[in-house]
Amino acid sequence: MKKILVTGAMGQIGTELVPYLRSLYSVDQVVASGRRIHEECLFLTAGPFELLDITKSEAIAAIIKKYNIGTIYHLASLLSATGEQDPQLLWKINMNGLVNILEAAREADCSVFFPSSIAVFGPDAPRIKTPQDALTRPTSIYGVSKVAGELLCDYYHLKYGLDIRGLRYPGVISNAALPGGGTTDYAVHIFYAALKSGHYTCFLKEDSSIDMIYMPDVLKGALKLMEADPGKLKHRNAFNVSSITVTPRQLAAEIRKQIPDFTIDYEIDPVRQAIADSWPDSLDDSVAREEWGWNPNYDLVAMTRDMLDVLSKKLQQE
Ligand code: AKB
């Protein structure tokens, strides 16, 4: 049976996607890869693991051949805030990396999962419940790379018949690895701060609304899309998905239901605030629901309860 390769396995999503896939299939069936090994993610090396610089095309081809890879979850990417610090580096990693993956997938006839983002939308798109097929004219380099990536994935499907599927994730909330360099990172940091010190200083304004999704739904959604009947997929790639629409003030209020003394104040980071202001407040994910049965489990209340529960146990052990 052909194996699965996960790039960017030491990142926020990869750290949980690899164990999830290994638990569904088998440890040997899933090859994790990353540019370097983070100490807190050493557990990923208990199964097949390869150091991989995504900008080196021969290295990707060699891993595909070595393990007989049939499916690639291509997660290696810089995020929105980091991207604004070095747009050229973002382009190199996000675009050249994707081109390399698609070319290697074409040579070896692999299926590909490509995570896109709410960042594909810019100020010209409708802000509330942004539809699946709304105008994609982003103003961040990260958003530009995700739009180009979505189009490239469509092109490889049309031109070469490659099976490439993907989701537009909003902010991802999780409790294993910390997110690195995103605009929505506040929605993870706030939980650590609430449990450690009872106070959080937020870098976005209190009323900045951006959609979020909880990690179990991220994993479930990716797998469900990859296993969906291709005959039913009209869009195939770049599906809007979401489950929580929230502002920092509302998230703080939800946390306060369990930690009544929790306080929050605001020191706005102009770069991340400008990115947040250019993104939709919320996404319309009805097309994903119709075409392949997207059906998330976690709303704001359930996610907050689970985050605090899991994180408080984790922090007690540290
Ligand atoms: C970011 O904030 O850059 C990411 C994203 C929404 O794609 N979390």
Side-chain angles (χ1 to χ4, degrees):
M1 197 177 156
K2 289 201 163 192
K3 295 196 166 114
I4 299 170
L5 172 66
V6 179
T7 72
M10 301 259 161
Q12 185 191 12
I13 297 180
T15 312
E16 299 200 47
L17 181 66
V18 170
Y20 179 69
L21 293 173
R22 283 179 175 168
S23 72
L24 291 175
Y25 304 109
S26 73
V27 170
D28 286 347
Q29 197 61 27
V30 182
V31 182
S33 68
R35 208 149 50 96
R36 58 180 91 90
I37 297 177
H38 302 164
E39 209 172 307
E40 61 283 7
C41 300
L42 259 181
F43 66 92
L44 293 176
T45 61
F49 179 84
E50 292 283 336
L51 283 172
L52 173 64
D53 175 350
I54 206 68
T55 64
K56 306 272 185 287
S57 52
E58 319 77 50
I60 301 168
I63 292 174
I64 290 177
K65 192 160 174 226
K66 177 174 170 187
Y67 292 96
N68 191 23
I69 299 293
T71 303
I72 305 170
Y73 285 80
H74 177 46
L75 306 181
S77 161
L78 292 190
L79 296 182
S80 56
T82 312
E84 290 312 304
Q85 283 162 19
D86 193 342
Q88 285 75 21
L89 180 65
L90 181 135
W91 196 258
K92 192 172 154 200
I93 292 177
N94 290 20
M95 284 317 297
N96 297 1
L98 178 61
V99 171
N100 289 342
I101 286 289
L102 293 178
E103 270 303 294
R106 181 169 75 84
E107 295 280 336
D109 195 22
C110 298
S111 310
V112 178
F113 175 82
F114 171 67
S116 186
S117 164
I118 190 171
V120 294
F121 297 112
D124 303 329
R127 280 201 84 83
I128 315 285
K129 290 270 168 210
T130 308
Q132 175 68 39
D133 296 318
L135 192 63
T136 47
R137 302 279 298 171
T139 49
S140 69
I141 188 66
Y142 175 68
V144 172
S145 79
K146 289 295 184 188
V147 175
E150 289 182 356
L151 293 173
L152 201 60
C153 289
D154 284 346
Y155 180 77
Y156 269 72
H157 173 63
L158 280 173
K159 176 98 178 160
Y160 304 115
L162 271 197
D163 186 7
I164 309 176
R165 308 182 187 190
L167 304 174
R168 285 180 185 142
Y169 287 127
V172 172
I173 300 179
S174 66
N175 47 50
L178 284 168
T183 302
T184 57
D185 294 6
Y186 90 86
V188 176
H189 296 156
I190 193 171
F191 284 98
Y192 283 84
L195 287 162
K196 282 183 175 171
S197 69
H199 178 77
Y200 180 60
T201 300
C202 185
F203 56 77
L204 292 184
K205 289 184 191 155
E206 62 174 358
D207 57 356
S208 283
S209 176
I210 311 177
D211 270 8
M212 300 286 164
I213 189 172
Y214 193 35
M215 186 59 86
D217 285 327
V218 169
L219 305 179
K220 185 178 95 162
L223 200 79
K224 197 165 171 122
L225 174 65
M226 290 305 274
E227 288 183 343
D229 175 357
K232 298 212 169 112
L233 299 179
K234 290 191 209 98
H235 284 80
R236 200 168 197 104
N237 169 31
F239 286 95
N240 284 3
V241 288
S242 183
S243 59
I244 299 163
T245 299
V246 75
T247 64
R249 178 161 30 89
Q250 289 163 338
L251 187 49
E254 194 57 41
I255 291 172
R256 220 171 278 123
K257 287 185 188 164
Q258 290 184 61
I259 307 177
D261 294 338
F262 174 59
T263 54
I264 183 166
D265 62 8
Y266 300 87
E267 267 173 37
I268 307 310
D269 168 8
V271 174
R272 283 180 285 191
Q273 187 62 55
I275 296 173
D277 289 344
S278 75
W279 289 352
D281 289 5
S282 57
L283 294 177
D284 174 358
D285 61 4
S286 52
V287 170
R289 290 175 190 264
E290 281 154 28
E291 288 189 25
W292 52 275
W294 164 241
N295 182 22
N297 293 332
Y298 287 87
D299 60 9
L300 177 63
V301 175
M303 176 278 293
T304 305
R305 200 179 297 131
D306 199 63
M307 273 296 280
L308 289 174
D309 187 37
V310 175
L311 264 189
S312 57
K313 287 180 193 136
K314 178 174 156 180
L315 294 175
Q316 268 163 26
Q317 282 163 10
E318 279 178 2

